[in-house]
Amino acid sequence: MDTINLDPRYSTSEVPGKCIKCLAEQELNNCLLSLLRAVGDDKEMTERFEMLVSFLKSPESRRLRDESERYLAEGKQVTVGISFDEGKPEYELKTNE
């Protein structure tokens, strides 16, 4: 399964932004809609859905959200990667440093 990358942004007067949690919830809803429309078993979409649910339930998501907002306040670009490695969730925060 590929990594899910979430790119949070601050809101400006011209561009609406979203935090990591909002982006993950939006992606979760998109996965759910795709799964409901799918004919048969979409294993990749099911794994993506499970990765997002795991992330949203994880205490790590709060820490990553706080850390990403701190970097955004400093004017940096942030990406949070969500993946599974041997059945265990892995989260990685990257900045444009």
Side-chain angles (χ1 to χ4, degrees):
M1 178 77 214
D2 292 333
T3 300
I4 299 171
N5 290 313
L6 304 174
D7 300 314
R9 300 281 182 255
Y10 264 135
S11 293
T12 66
S13 58
E14 296 87 27
V15 180
K18 290 191 177 181
C19 71
I20 292 172
K21 180 181 176 191
C22 294
L23 290 170
E25 288 173 343
Q26 180 181 357
E27 187 63 30
L28 184 73
N29 287 336
N30 292 340
C31 287
L32 182 57
L33 289 174
S34 293
L35 288 169
L36 290 172
R37 286 189 211 127
V39 177
D41 187 24
D42 188 343
K43 190 170 185 156
E44 184 175 322
M45 193 59 66
T46 301
E47 288 178 12
R48 189 174 183 86
F49 183 84
E50 290 171 359
M51 287 170 54
L52 290 161
V53 168
S54 175
F55 173 73
L56 288 167
K57 288 183 176 182
S58 168
E60 189 75 8
S61 67
R62 178 64 187 181
R63 183 190 66 76
L64 288 169
R65 185 168 65 189
D66 292 343
E67 195 172 337
S68 68
E69 288 176 4
R70 182 172 47 87
Y71 285 126
L72 288 170
E74 294 172 2
K76 298 177 181 171
Q77 292 180 342
V78 179
T79 299
V80 174
I82 304 170
S83 61
F84 272 157
D85 185 26
E86 297 179 13
K88 294 181 182 180
E90 289 191 358
Y91 312 117
E92 179 180 16
L93 187 133
K94 299 175 191 173
T95 64
N96 65 342
E97 294 181 310

